[in-house]
Amino acid sequence: MAGNTGTDLRNLVIYSVYVRNHSEEGTFKGLERDLGRIKELGTDIIWLLPIHPIGKKNRKGTLGSPYANEDYRTVNPEYGSYEDFVSLVNEIHKRGMKCIIDVVYNHTSPDSWLVKNHPEWFFRKPDGSFGNRTGAWLDVIDLDYNQAALWDYLIETLKYWAKLVDGFRCDVASLIPLDFWKRAREEVSLINPNCLWLAESVHPSFIFYNRSLGFPCLSDSEVFSAFDITYDYDIYDWYTGYLEGKNSLAEYADRINNQEMVYPANYVKLRCLENHDQRRIKFYVPDEKALFNWTAFLYFQKGTAMIYAGQETQNDHHPSLFENDKVNWNTGCDISKYMAALYKIKKDSVFADSQYSVKAFSSDIIAAVHKTQKRMMIGVFSLKGSTSVVSIEQVKEGKFINLIDGASFRIEEHKLSCRGEPVIFEAPLDR
């Protein structure tokens, strides 16, 4: 874990935005008009998917992927001017939120500024042509980190943006040398001491695949030495596996519990139910009661919670990165007030520095516990909206208040009658 990473990051909520699809006009100004609503939802940090121009060569779809970067030091004119971007960041700050931007440093578009000006900084295939190591992303070509001058250029670019924004979400960070990230963090700290570093760490299968080809690929444990937060892709396959019926809830719970043992005490995971690369949670969980439970579990989990724009209106369509594919803000299923209530619970200090454990029941119910030396917070989540009696071994009996809605309930002889609704409550340690 980065030495100065604070566990209070576990109290935060990140809101992820793809500018092109967020508003009808798809611009910085369009997003700026929505900042008040985003703040009321319960947001600490707005993460903007890449804001830079998109290459034209080998484009995916009609408009191209924002991850096929044409120029690291300018903004996409389709979103507005640089002045529009500065205005957006300033307005985010005025509302007490922070702004982080996407950094795509593994590759660029085949017609990027760097290709034209520094072709020597790119990976070459055996025949001498540009390409990429994994062979899967046809609209980009990989950078070559054996070139020392490339490191200088990219770090200077980070320092340029760090004067304005509050941090970086780093795309496929695991494919880039760890020493680069350590040096970048150190140098950027001289510009912005509080810069936030979020790594898109990768699935275990992707690590294995790259290493089998002879290419370095960092594990989460390695990435944590330079970053504050990493993705939870190390266990994501068991999350989606449960949703798709490929593995049990108990197997997913075991993976969560294992994180407490394999990472440093101050580890911070990014917890999400969906993101721009994954299917919407509403696609997997159409039942609203079950969805409420999953949403409550997201906020209760140990780590930084992340919301992908449109999640609050229960979008079930996963928008394309390559087309004009707008978020549907008029679904008639707005859970913003519910999420705002969960956000208030998330701010409790018990979530910042606790021992965390989860237990799965055969009734598709999961019970989770945050415990410190002085306090204990318990959450019970019926992930398919089913009713059942579950055992809460930490509590023998008593009357408690559900912090989500203020309703009271009882535990008797360690038993809680779950009625299909999520429950979060504080219990004394001596019960």
Side-chain angles (χ1 to χ4, degrees):
M1 196 73 198
N4 60 347
T5 295
T7 55
D8 56 349
L9 293 176
R10 296 170 179 159
N11 293 117
L12 303 185
V13 174
I14 295 175
Y15 189 85
S16 174
V17 174
Y18 185 24
V19 173
R20 176 193 288 166
N21 290 334
H22 191 83
S23 64
E24 279 304 310
E25 57 266 60
T27 63
F28 296 131
K29 288 294 185 184
L31 172 58
E32 187 175 313
R33 285 190 286 273
D34 195 33
L35 292 179
R37 183 194 66 83
I38 295 172
K39 174 65 175 179
E40 289 179 3
L41 181 67
T43 300
D44 299 291
I45 301 167
I46 294 180
W47 156 31
L48 302 177
L49 271 64
I51 59 168
H52 308 294
I54 297 170
K56 297 178 176 61
K57 187 176 180 180
N58 296 346
R59 271 190 172 184
K60 288 184 177 180
T62 306
L63 300 175
S65 169
Y67 291 92
N69 192 316
E70 187 182 42
D71 188 346
Y72 290 120
R73 296 188 177 183
T74 61
V75 300
N76 189 339
E78 297 171 14
Y79 299 165
S81 65
Y82 175 77
E83 289 72 24
D84 290 337
F85 176 65
V86 172
S87 175
L88 171 63
V89 176
N90 287 338
E91 290 300 319
I92 289 172
H93 289 161
K94 285 180 183 178
R95 288 165 174 79
M97 298 181 288
K98 294 183 178 182
C99 177
I100 65 175
I101 60 172
D102 228 309
V103 170
V104 188
Y105 271 8
N106 180 65
H107 47 257
T108 77
S109 69
D111 54 350
S112 67
W113 185 91
L114 284 185
V115 171
K116 297 170 184 175
N117 291 273
H118 291 284
E120 72 279 11
W121 291 353
F122 285 83
F123 168 79
R124 302 280 181 154
K125 295 188 290 186
D127 64 4
S129 62
F130 295 123
N132 55 66
R133 296 167 180 81
T134 64
W137 304 319
L138 301 180
D139 60 336
V140 295
I141 57 175
D142 284 3
L143 291 162
D144 179 7
Y145 277 82
N146 292 311
Q147 307 300 320
L150 171 66
W151 291 38
D152 296 337
Y153 178 86
L154 294 178
I155 291 173
E156 284 302 314
T157 303
L158 289 169
K159 290 159 69 174
Y160 169 79
W161 290 110
K163 296 175 182 177
L164 177 62
V165 302
D166 305 289
F168 305 104
R169 179 269 185 188
C170 301
D171 190 61
V172 287
S174 303
L175 294 181
I176 295 165
L178 182 59
D179 285 344
F180 171 83
W181 291 125
K182 289 182 175 180
R183 177 183 155 192
R185 184 183 181 109
E186 181 179 357
E187 293 196 27
V188 168
S189 69
L190 301 177
I191 303 296
N192 183 350
N194 299 313
C195 184
L196 178 70
W197 294 85
L198 164 60
E200 185 198 22
S201 50
V202 298
H203 297 264
S205 59
F206 193 61
I207 297 174
F208 182 84
Y209 172 68
N210 278 276
R211 290 178 178 179
S212 73
L213 297 177
F215 298 123
C217 192
L218 303 174
S219 68
D220 280 50
S221 295
E222 292 172 299
V223 172
F224 264 135
S225 66
F227 284 84
D228 300 303
I229 310 172
T230 73
Y231 269 41
D232 66 349
Y233 276 171
D234 55 321
I235 64 170
Y236 204 84
D237 286 344
W238 284 267
Y239 157 66
T240 57
Y242 168 68
L243 292 173
E244 296 171 359
K246 296 178 181 179
N247 58 256
S248 69
L249 182 59
E251 288 175 293
Y252 175 47
D254 285 344
R255 295 287 170 166
I256 296 173
N257 289 331
N258 192 56
Q259 290 178 327
E260 284 285 288
M261 296 176 284
V262 300
Y263 297 129
N266 65 331
Y267 80 98
V268 184
K269 277 288 179 179
L270 184 72
R271 306 296 187 180
C272 67
L273 300 178
E274 60 184 57
N275 61 49
H276 68 272
D277 284 324
Q278 306 295 335
R279 290 188 185 275
R280 294 280 195 180
I281 183 61
K282 184 67 173 180
F283 175 86
Y284 285 117
V285 185
D287 179 75
E288 185 150 297
K289 182 180 284 189
L291 185 66
F292 270 57
N293 278 274
W294 273 109
T295 304
F297 182 49
L298 166 67
Y299 281 80
F300 192 86
Q301 281 248 61
K302 188 174 189 176
T304 305
M306 195 275 281
I307 303 301
Y308 185 36
Q311 189 173 334
E312 65 268 46
T313 51
Q314 298 185 39
N315 278 227
D316 59 5
H317 166 63
H318 185 251
S320 171
L321 288 177
F322 321 128
E323 306 291 346
N324 193 339
D325 194 4
K326 303 300 184 185
V327 173
N328 183 359
W329 298 112
N330 299 300
T331 61
C333 301
D334 192 338
I335 60 171
S336 295
K337 291 183 179 180
Y338 178 65
M339 294 169 79
L342 293 170
Y343 174 77
K344 292 179 181 178
I345 297 173
K346 182 73 171 172
K347 288 300 180 181
D348 193 301
S349 61
V350 74
F351 296 105
D353 192 15
S354 66
Q355 287 187 316
Y356 182 59
S357 62
V358 299
K359 180 180 180 180
F361 297 89
S362 58
S363 51
D364 293 292
I365 293 172
I366 199 164
V369 179
H370 286 272
K371 187 175 181 180
T372 70
Q373 292 185 346
K374 296 181 179 180
R375 298 178 62 199
M376 179 166 59
M377 195 76 75
I378 300 175
V380 179
F381 311 98
S382 180
L383 300 181
K384 291 189 177 178
S386 58
T387 60
S388 182
V389 174
V390 296
S391 176
I392 306 298
E393 58 190 41
Q394 296 87 352
V395 181
K396 182 177 181 181
E397 61 184 1
K399 183 179 180 180
F400 301 93
I401 300 297
N402 186 352
L403 297 177
I404 299 175
D405 58 10
S408 63
F409 64 94
R410 290 196 64 83
I411 294 177
E412 298 178 0
E413 296 298 323
H414 299 286
K415 302 297 183 183
L416 182 149
S417 178
C418 177
R419 301 180 181 180
E421 305 288 347
V423 174
I424 297 175
F425 64 100
E426 184 166 6
L429 291 175
D430 58 351
R431 292 204 184 191

